[in-house]
Amino acid sequence: MMLVNGQPQDVVTALDRGLLYGDGLFETIRLVGASAPLWPRHMQRLAHGCARLRLPAPESAQLWREALAATQGMAQSVLRITLTRGTGVRGYAMPAAPQVTRIVAAFPMPALEAATYRDGVRLHLCQTRLAEQPRLAGIKHLNRLEQVLARAEWSDPAIAEGLLCDLHGNAVSATAANLFAVVGGVPVTPALERCGVAGVLRAELLEVLPRVEVRDLPLHECLEAGELFLCSSVRGILPVQAVADKVFAPGPVARAMQAHWRGLGFPTEQA
Amino acid sequence: MMLVNGQPQDVVTALDRGLLYGDGLFETIRLVGASAPLWPRHMQRLAHGCARLRLPAPESAQLWREALAATQGMAQSVLRITLTRGTGVRGYAMPAAPQVTRIVAAFPMPALEAATYRDGVRLHLCQTRLAEQPRLAGIKHLNRLEQVLARAEWSDPAIAEGLLCDLHGNAVSATAANLFAVVGGVPVTPALERCGVAGVLRAELLEVLPRVEVRDLPLHECLEAGELFLCSSVRGILPVQAVADKVFAPGPVARAMQAHWRGLGFPTEQA
């Protein structure tokens, strides 16, 4: 089910700035029944994104009411909240008093296999590099052509994700998940001041891990890591089994974070 | 008037990938009655963009029929053609057989003042830098948050445009127009292999100017140029009067290109 500005509706005006310019933000949120364990973090990131893009932030309570309405009766669901700067005169200039378009759409939860969480996922090493744009880095905005092009680099269904680097050869993230490496026993996740999306599960892990470094992670260092895993607020903790032909084994940090994920209240399809 | 996939309609599904990810392209085309002097160049760029984004290209003849229908009865108009990758399963992966969404929308031509063309425009020097992304550079895709943020840097109506640089301090373009500088008597326009949009009027001028260089243009060199002007397929040739507090006078190359613009069949509000 889908709500546009609170009304059951599945269309928007073709002049919405979300469509014209990608002028907006989104969140993709996993729900278990009527519960969304990472909801406060999603709302925090959305508010931060609104401030960065000068978009009036909707009330979290209103979004939650709409989330419940959209997902009603679904045992498991993925909710997408999209906020755009609405309509305005033609051209890049922001309207003086924007009327935000608010889209809340529920999707069935995709099937996740236990083997994926037990054995890990294979990654393609993407040729597409993430551009550096400090003004957009970290937030989950609607300009996602880089991810679309990166995801189009492989079609083998046995490959779950792609590893993206920046122009300097630092590993940054997967196309739709954040990245952690364990280097010399210490978890490291790439800094996201110049590119990438600061995921909400990444934020959770940064608080949970007793020791963790946030810094640039050169690809060669990433590929030499003792352990590699992805995190996504929809898919949870995914150990990495291979990046191209470089093989990894799921390690203790990934296992501990999978246990933490289950403890948050998400289902236990994970190893 | 607006057509969506050939039908009079002003909405699209809220799950269109143009809205979800900015996954698409657009053209903004000036018409004089039922004539669009730069139409073939717009179609060329659109086809090039479709190839770059792996988007099935619509037929130019079909777009022209829809352009005429949308602008019928308008003495002067601006047409926006938007193509998106339509709908598909949630996620960045391209649908195997995308059904492109085609939006053709007509707008009244904004008022242009003769004084603007005679005396030139003032530019803000933008703090926002254009990110380098060779896979998207040149094409007119829907990921335009950089331009939205850059355009939001000033609100003084006396300032018509903003000058955008890349991360290395090269001048690249205005927020919605290309840039030419005359350096030592030779016209120069920034190379657009790493960022920027390759405008159709820029392409026209590159063929028309007897001598012209396409290369990186460091900002300091740009600000020392003998002459500076912008080109836009909607607004034509705009001499630059000032960039921040650096003053310029309209010069002979801009005047010659204004004459060329008039010769193409556009109205003669220009000096």
Side-chain angles (χ1 to χ4, degrees):
Chain A
M1 186 192 172
M2 204 183 314
L3 299 169
V4 177
N5 296 328
Q7 302 303 313
Q9 187 179 316
D10 58 6
V11 294
V12 296
T13 163
L15 299 183
D16 191 278
R17 291 173 62 97
L19 178 64
L20 298 183
Y21 307 125
D23 190 5
L25 297 162
F26 70 111
E27 291 290 331
T28 308
I29 304 170
R30 182 158 171 193
L31 273 85
V32 181
S35 153
L38 293 168
W39 180 265
R41 291 196 187 277
H42 285 288
M43 290 304 104
Q44 206 172 352
R45 178 172 63 183
L46 195 60
H48 174 68
C50 284
R52 292 269 297 276
L53 295 186
R54 301 198 205 173
L55 209 58
E59 278 187 38
S60 169
Q62 180 184 47
L63 288 175
W64 182 242
R65 283 193 302 273
E66 295 177 1
L68 289 180
T71 60
Q72 199 169 13
M74 299 171 84
Q76 288 220 52
S77 58
V78 177
L79 189 79
R80 176 166 161 139
I81 298 176
T82 307
L83 300 180
T84 80
R85 208 182 306 274
T87 56
V89 292
R90 208 180 54 77
Y92 294 128
M94 297 178 182
Q99 298 295 310
V100 168
T101 301
R102 192 174 74 249
I103 304 165
V104 176
F107 300 87
M109 179 66 201
L112 299 171
E113 292 180 25
T116 301
Y117 294 96
R118 188 184 65 224
D119 306 332
V121 292
R122 286 173 54 200
L123 309 192
H124 166 76
L125 183 54
C126 294
Q127 296 292 310
T128 304
R129 303 294 183 104
L130 292 170
E132 294 186 17
Q133 180 47 272
R135 295 209 54 191
L136 295 174
I139 63 175
K140 204 168 170 80
H141 56 70
L142 296 174
N143 282 198
R144 293 294 156 205
L145 271 173
E146 287 181 332
Q147 283 73 19
V148 170
L149 291 176
R151 181 59 189 80
E153 289 186 27
W154 79 94
S155 54
D156 181 350
I159 298 179
E161 258 289 7
L163 180 61
L164 279 159
C165 294
D166 66 18
L167 290 171
H168 301 292
N170 296 303
V172 178
S173 68
T175 67
N178 286 110
L179 174 72
F180 281 78
V182 181
V183 178
V186 179
V188 179
T189 192
L192 302 176
E193 272 76 45
R194 299 190 309 271
C195 52
V197 177
V200 297
L201 184 53
R202 174 181 180 271
E204 173 80 14
L205 300 196
L206 287 178
E207 283 192 12
V208 163
L209 286 163
R211 228 177 16 150
V212 58
E213 291 178 7
V214 180
R215 61 167 169 87
D216 285 347
L217 179 65
L219 177 61
H220 63 85
E221 194 182 350
C222 173
L223 294 179
E224 295 303 318
E227 192 181 327
L228 216 54
F229 62 91
L230 305 181
C231 65
S232 145
S233 60
V234 170
R235 290 175 289 168
I237 308 293
L238 297 156
V240 173
Q241 187 185 95
V243 179
D245 54 4
K246 170 76 185 172
V247 175
F248 297 83
V253 182
R255 291 293 182 232
M257 293 304 102
Q258 288 183 328
H260 180 78
W261 167 260
R262 288 193 302 269
L264 289 171
F266 290 109
T268 55
E269 69 269 353
Q270 300 202 14
Chain B
M1 184 193 172
M2 204 182 316
L3 299 169
V4 177
N5 295 329
Q7 303 303 314
Q9 186 179 316
D10 58 7
V11 294
V12 296
T13 163
L15 299 183
D16 191 279
R17 290 174 63 96
L19 178 64
L20 297 183
Y21 308 125
D23 190 6
L25 298 162
F26 70 110
E27 292 288 332
T28 309
I29 304 169
R30 182 158 170 192
L31 274 85
V32 182
S35 155
L38 293 168
W39 180 265
R41 291 195 186 277
H42 285 287
M43 290 302 105
Q44 207 173 351
R45 178 172 63 183
L46 196 59
H48 174 66
C50 284
R52 293 268 298 275
L53 295 187
R54 302 198 205 172
L55 209 59
E59 277 188 39
S60 169
Q62 180 184 49
L63 289 175
W64 181 242
R65 285 193 301 274
E66 295 176 2
L68 289 180
T71 59
Q72 199 170 13
M74 298 172 83
Q76 288 222 52
S77 58
V78 178
L79 189 79
R80 175 164 163 142
I81 297 176
T82 308
L83 300 180
T84 81
R85 208 181 306 274
T87 55
V89 293
R90 208 181 54 77
Y92 295 128
M94 297 177 182
Q99 298 296 309
V100 168
T101 302
R102 191 174 74 249
I103 304 165
V104 176
F107 300 87
M109 179 67 201
L112 300 170
E113 291 179 26
T116 300
Y117 294 95
R118 188 184 64 226
D119 305 332
V121 293
R122 286 173 54 198
L123 310 192
H124 166 76
L125 183 54
C126 294
Q127 295 292 310
T128 304
R129 302 295 183 103
L130 291 171
E132 294 186 16
Q133 179 47 273
R135 296 210 52 190
L136 296 174
I139 63 176
K140 204 169 170 78
H141 56 70
L142 296 175
N143 282 198
R144 293 294 156 207
L145 271 172
E146 288 181 331
Q147 283 73 21
V148 170
L149 291 176
R151 181 59 188 81
E153 289 185 27
W154 79 95
S155 54
D156 181 350
I159 298 178
E161 257 290 8
L163 180 60
L164 278 159
C165 293
D166 65 19
L167 290 171
H168 301 291
N170 295 303
V172 177
S173 68
T175 67
N178 286 111
L179 174 72
F180 280 78
V182 181
V183 178
V186 178
V188 179
T189 192
L192 303 176
E193 273 77 44
R194 297 191 309 271
C195 53
V197 176
V200 297
L201 185 52
R202 174 181 179 272
E204 172 81 14
L205 300 196
L206 287 178
E207 283 191 12
V208 163
L209 286 162
R211 231 182 6 155
V212 58
E213 291 178 6
V214 179
R215 61 167 169 87
D216 285 346
L217 179 65
L219 177 61
H220 64 85
E221 193 183 352
C222 174
L223 294 179
E224 295 304 317
E227 194 181 323
L228 215 55
F229 61 91
L230 305 181
C231 65
S232 145
S233 61
V234 170
R235 290 175 289 168
I237 308 292
L238 296 155
V240 172
Q241 187 185 95
V243 178
D245 54 3
K246 170 76 186 173
V247 174
F248 297 82
V253 182
R255 292 293 183 232
M257 292 304 102
Q258 289 183 328
H260 180 77
W261 167 260
R262 289 193 301 269
L264 289 172
F266 291 108
T268 55
E269 69 268 353
Q270 302 201 12

